[in-house]
Amino acid sequence: MNFHLNSKIPDGPIQEKWIKAKFDLKLINPANRRKFKIIVVGSGLAGGSAAATLGEQGYDVHCFFYQDSPRRAHSIAAQGGINAAKNYPNDGDSIWRLFYDTVKGGDYRSREANVYRLSEVSANIIDQCVAQGVPFAREYGGQLDNRSFGGAQVSRTFYARGQTGQQLLLGAYSSLNRQVDKGTVKTYPRTEMLDLVTVDGHARGIITRNLVTGEIERHAADVVIMATGGYGNVFFLSTNAMGCNATAAWRAHRKGAGFANPCYTQIHPTCIPVSSDHQSKLTLMSESLRNDGRVWVPAAKGDKRAPNDIPENERDYYLERRYPSFGNLVPRDVASRAAKERCDAGYGVGETGLAVYLDFADAIQRLGKDLVEARYGNLFHMYAKITAEDPYKVPMRIFPAVHYTMGGLWVDYNLESTIPGLFVLGEANFSDHGANRLGASALMQGLADGYFIAPATVPDYLAREGTMNADEKVTTHHPAFEEAEKSVTDRVEKLLSIQGQRTVDDFHKELGLIMWNHCGMERTKESLEEALKLIPALKEEFWKDLKVVGDKDSFNMSLEKAGRVADFFELGELMVRDALQREESCGGHFRGEHQTEEGEALRDDDRFTFAGVWQFKGNDKAPQLHQEELQFPNVPLTTRSYK
């Protein structure tokens, strides 16, 4: 397959690129749209909104997801809000400021054109969701309310208490269901994509497994859209739901889709700390809490007094001390590293010493408990249920945890991967966040891609490459489908045939520990080289000593997990390779050898102002690195500072 990186960024001023692109994109007559079949993999905010919008346009849309309902997509777990440049508080926000903050927040490792387009369409997202009935918080006069998030000095985040993702997902779900009722969209619940089918180099379908019956199925289409989320669960412990995985993206990568910047992993600073070896996931406490909560540790090392017994003059509000301009609202990568530094230095709190305090005493005194409860009540309730501590009376204990992945399948300006006909939306692609995502921007990107961008760019591909003649369309009888199905079936048989002694979770936990210790919040040349020894050795043991119970012809979660963890081994190794070649620190990628005297990330713009895109070369060959050079004519490269 020809592997070529053409970003297809339109010419002209950045403010006019998307307008020009939309005019130049080819259209399809409404009467002809029903003749094209589109597969959408994923039903979260990106996939659900894309399926609903393309269905409303009249295309024949088939939406696949492994949950029992689109409402169970992991987008439901997003808490704090969604960014949009509407400037309702009249505090100086604009499309340009959102664009600037996002490029800067990504530590100058994102593609400017994509980020500006994201900022440009952000306001339309809010209008769309309000029209759907999404219950955003409102001020007393009825206008939509806004709050602040990290990396910005304006209030641009729209929210619905601490359940914004859930409410936005219900809005997309209602639109999706409307199209299901009209017959333009067909949904396939409890169905997992296990391979991508390419014909003459173009994406033409997928191979799936029915998770209830075990049946392997073929599905052909004119175009495939993947919106399958990120790969944070490679670390085992993360804020992701246990079902979140990278199999769909990884299978596409093995078929020729470039994987960009896999080492860019976001560590969220506001999570409930690990309390047991038996935990299967970590719980996020929304970044919105840092609006009114103050982060601190005792000023003295090893101070084990109860937090309320430590007077003000013996507390270190270290974010406010180090970053007076942004205080507690510094970006996530900065806040996470600062918390780690304090804990590593011996100032951590709790039984493990791996936690800091998030204190609401000042906010409750200033605003009153009722207002704090109105803003964050469900988050406080969740924290109390998990920890048996009342955050209205005792400061929360928080610590960084794996949350989001900025890397993903490479896409051009049209969101098309290096495989023609394969479009990638939301967290599954790499395009908008650079080396660090600002809070409340994930929902913005997912809905921008699904509601506004893919519905304009996918028809252009169909108009150029598709056919309306049924006799000329690729069907599931094509040899490529037979070959892909056999590959999937053989892999399932192999996983079941090992009959070793160790469970899938046992291997997954060990892999996750390797990734966290050697390629986690801080990486070094030595730690990464060690990981490149440990991961292949563990992968070899996996294929010799794995125990998968049950059979292939029924509901079998052990088999599901085994396939996903097998892909995590390969992806984890690629993440380490990518981190090793990027000899700089930027955003969520922090190399211990590359930091300032103050412990901040030290970029190397002369050598690494590029997106690193990896090409799969075969099971027995090292992947090949390609580079997309990034240009910053509108937001000049400067040292990122939040002081």
Side-chain angles (χ1 to χ4, degrees):
M1 173 181 286
N2 182 29
F3 193 95
H4 179 58
L5 300 181
N6 178 6
S7 60
K8 299 179 183 176
I9 299 173
D11 296 328
I14 197 166
Q15 298 94 329
E16 300 174 8
K17 289 184 185 296
W18 181 230
I19 297 172
K20 181 179 185 300
K22 284 192 293 184
F23 180 78
D24 291 340
L25 292 171
K26 293 183 179 297
L27 303 176
I28 296 177
N29 186 299
N32 290 330
R33 294 173 189 170
R34 67 179 70 93
K35 300 175 184 178
F36 292 98
K37 179 178 176 181
I38 298 173
I39 283 177
V40 178
V41 186
S43 64
L45 286 181
S49 60
T53 307
L54 289 164
E56 188 171 17
Q57 288 181 352
Y59 295 97
D60 178 19
V61 180
H62 294 243
C63 184
F64 297 79
F65 45 93
Y66 66 78
Q67 300 92 346
D68 57 355
S69 166
R71 292 175 297 174
R72 302 279 290 180
H74 190 60
S75 301
I76 197 173
Q79 297 170 344
I82 176 171
N83 288 330
K86 277 186 168 292
N87 195 30
Y88 281 175
N90 196 27
D91 58 357
D93 201 11
S94 64
I95 291 173
W96 192 269
R97 188 175 295 278
L98 176 54
F99 162 60
Y100 173 86
D101 288 345
T102 304
V103 172
K104 176 184 175 182
D107 219 349
Y108 303 92
R109 292 295 179 263
S110 54
R111 188 190 287 152
E112 272 197 354
N114 288 62
V115 177
Y116 189 87
R117 177 177 62 186
L118 176 66
S119 306
E120 186 179 357
V121 305
S122 64
N124 297 339
I125 298 171
I126 304 304
D127 296 338
Q128 171 92 357
C129 295
V130 169
Q132 291 172 335
V134 173
F136 287 119
R138 293 180 180 269
E139 296 178 340
Y140 179 77
Q143 182 167 278
L144 297 182
D145 196 13
N146 289 117
R147 58 189 179 199
S148 300
F149 256 65
Q153 291 180 306
V154 296
S155 295
R156 63 164 66 103
T157 304
F158 296 77
Y159 65 97
R161 297 189 78 183
Q163 51 185 232
T164 312
Q166 180 185 38
Q167 298 303 327
L168 292 172
L169 185 62
L170 289 174
Y173 174 68
S174 66
S175 295
L176 181 65
N177 263 4
R178 180 171 178 267
Q179 297 309 313
V180 171
D181 183 64
K182 292 177 65 176
T184 63
V185 177
K186 182 178 180 180
T187 57
Y188 298 77
R190 304 299 290 160
T191 303
E192 183 170 22
M193 172 186 163
L194 294 182
D195 208 354
L196 178 74
V197 180
T198 60
V199 177
D200 297 329
H202 288 245
R204 287 292 180 256
I206 60 175
I207 304 296
T208 64
R209 180 175 181 269
N210 185 310
L211 297 182
V212 177
T213 66
E215 183 179 0
I216 305 297
E217 301 169 331
R218 308 176 184 183
H219 300 275
D222 296 286
V223 70
V224 176
I225 297 174
M226 280 183 44
T228 51
Y231 48 90
N233 270 356
V234 69
F235 291 88
F236 186 74
L237 282 179
S238 78
T239 65
N240 288 213
M242 285 303 294
C244 294
N245 65 88
T247 286
W250 191 252
R251 295 289 108 189
H253 172 60
R254 289 175 63 94
K255 283 294 180 72
F259 209 115
N261 302 334
C263 75
Y264 288 163
T265 307
Q266 180 163 87
I267 312 296
H268 198 295
T270 318
C271 302
I272 297 178
V274 176
S275 61
S276 167
D277 291 338
H278 303 292
Q279 279 182 256
S280 60
K281 74 177 298 292
L282 298 173
T283 303
L284 174 69
M285 289 284 101
S286 170
E287 181 176 317
S288 64
L289 294 172
R290 289 196 279 145
N291 269 283
D292 293 308
R294 301 178 70 193
V295 179
W296 64 276
V297 292
K301 290 184 180 181
D303 191 336
K304 296 300 181 182
R305 288 178 291 175
N308 291 339
D309 292 337
I310 301 176
E312 279 288 316
N313 62 351
E314 296 180 30
R315 300 179 178 187
D316 178 15
Y317 295 92
Y318 59 89
L319 291 179
E320 298 171 31
R321 170 173 57 83
R322 293 183 185 180
Y323 310 102
S325 293
F326 283 75
N328 295 296
L329 287 173
V330 292
R332 292 172 176 177
D333 61 321
V334 176
S336 293
R337 285 196 297 274
K340 180 180 185 296
E341 184 277 327
R342 287 290 81 189
C343 292
D344 288 349
Y347 296 92
V349 302
E351 293 183 7
T352 65
L354 295 177
V356 299
Y357 289 127
L358 180 60
D359 197 337
F360 282 84
D362 284 358
I364 292 173
Q365 183 176 8
R366 174 170 46 89
L367 303 171
K369 181 182 176 182
D370 289 345
L371 183 53
V372 171
E373 185 174 8
R375 290 178 178 175
Y376 313 112
N378 62 308
L379 298 171
F380 278 42
H381 177 74
M382 182 167 61
Y383 181 88
K385 282 288 186 181
I386 292 172
T387 66
E389 297 176 358
D390 185 352
Y392 292 104
K393 299 178 180 178
V394 180
M396 291 182 178
R397 287 175 292 109
I398 59 169
F399 193 69
V402 173
H403 177 57
Y404 189 90
T405 49
M406 285 73 66
L409 295 182
W410 183 90
V411 293
D412 61 19
Y413 189 73
N414 293 337
L415 304 184
E416 189 173 13
S417 73
T418 53
I419 299 177
L422 175 65
F423 291 76
V424 190
L425 317 186
E427 190 180 358
N429 78 34
F430 90 107
S431 65
D432 291 19
H433 305 298
N436 174 65
R437 177 176 68 80
L438 292 183
S441 288
L443 306 185
M444 176 173 61
Q445 185 207 351
L447 292 180
D449 289 356
Y451 280 137
F452 299 108
I453 300 171
T457 61
V458 170
D460 174 74
Y461 169 82
L462 292 172
R464 288 184 291 104
E465 304 287 349
T467 175
M468 292 182 287
N469 188 340
D471 294 333
E472 297 176 358
K473 288 182 180 291
V474 173
T475 71
T476 55
H477 300 295
H478 192 281
F481 280 88
E482 183 178 350
E483 180 183 348
E485 181 180 340
K486 184 179 185 305
S487 175
V488 167
T489 302
D490 289 348
R491 191 164 186 259
V492 168
E493 296 282 4
K494 184 176 181 180
L495 289 167
L496 288 167
S497 68
I498 300 171
Q499 291 299 302
Q501 300 299 315
R502 295 182 62 181
T503 66
V504 178
D505 280 350
D506 193 27
F507 279 107
H508 193 183
K509 285 180 181 179
E510 187 171 345
L511 172 64
L513 197 60
I514 293 171
M515 294 298 298
W516 179 252
N517 289 338
H518 296 82
C519 192
M521 211 182 320
E522 181 175 328
R523 305 99 183 257
T524 64
K525 183 176 186 291
E526 291 75 16
S527 73
L528 294 168
E529 289 176 343
E530 180 68 13
L532 284 180
K533 299 175 184 176
L534 295 172
I535 295 173
L538 185 62
K539 180 173 69 172
E540 184 177 355
E541 185 180 352
F542 173 89
W543 287 105
K544 291 180 179 178
D545 199 27
L546 175 68
K547 175 70 173 180
V548 177
V549 298
D551 57 48
K552 65 178 181 179
D553 298 320
S554 62
F555 181 72
N556 189 340
M557 292 186 68
S558 179
L559 178 60
E560 290 175 37
K561 290 181 181 179
R564 296 166 185 171
V565 173
D567 291 330
F568 278 144
F569 276 112
E570 297 180 10
L571 173 56
E573 189 172 342
L574 186 67
M575 292 170 66
V576 174
R577 287 182 182 273
D578 190 47
L580 189 60
Q581 66 83 25
R582 187 169 285 277
E583 295 182 20
E584 66 165 351
S585 292
C586 56
H589 168 65
F590 190 78
R591 285 283 294 267
E593 310 95 326
H594 304 285
Q595 56 182 303
T596 66
E597 292 181 359
E598 295 81 20
E600 303 294 348
L602 184 61
R603 297 196 320 265
D604 186 343
D605 293 335
D606 291 334
R607 294 196 298 155
F608 293 100
T609 311
F610 63 79
V613 187
W614 294 88
Q615 179 185 9
F616 181 76
K617 302 295 286 186
N619 291 327
D620 301 322
K621 297 180 181 179
Q624 181 179 351
L625 177 64
H626 302 260
Q627 298 179 8
E628 179 198 348
E629 296 299 327
L630 301 172
Q631 306 294 327
F632 296 91
N634 297 283
V635 184
L637 290 160
T638 58
T639 300
R640 192 168 61 131
S641 174
Y642 294 93
K643 294 184 177 180

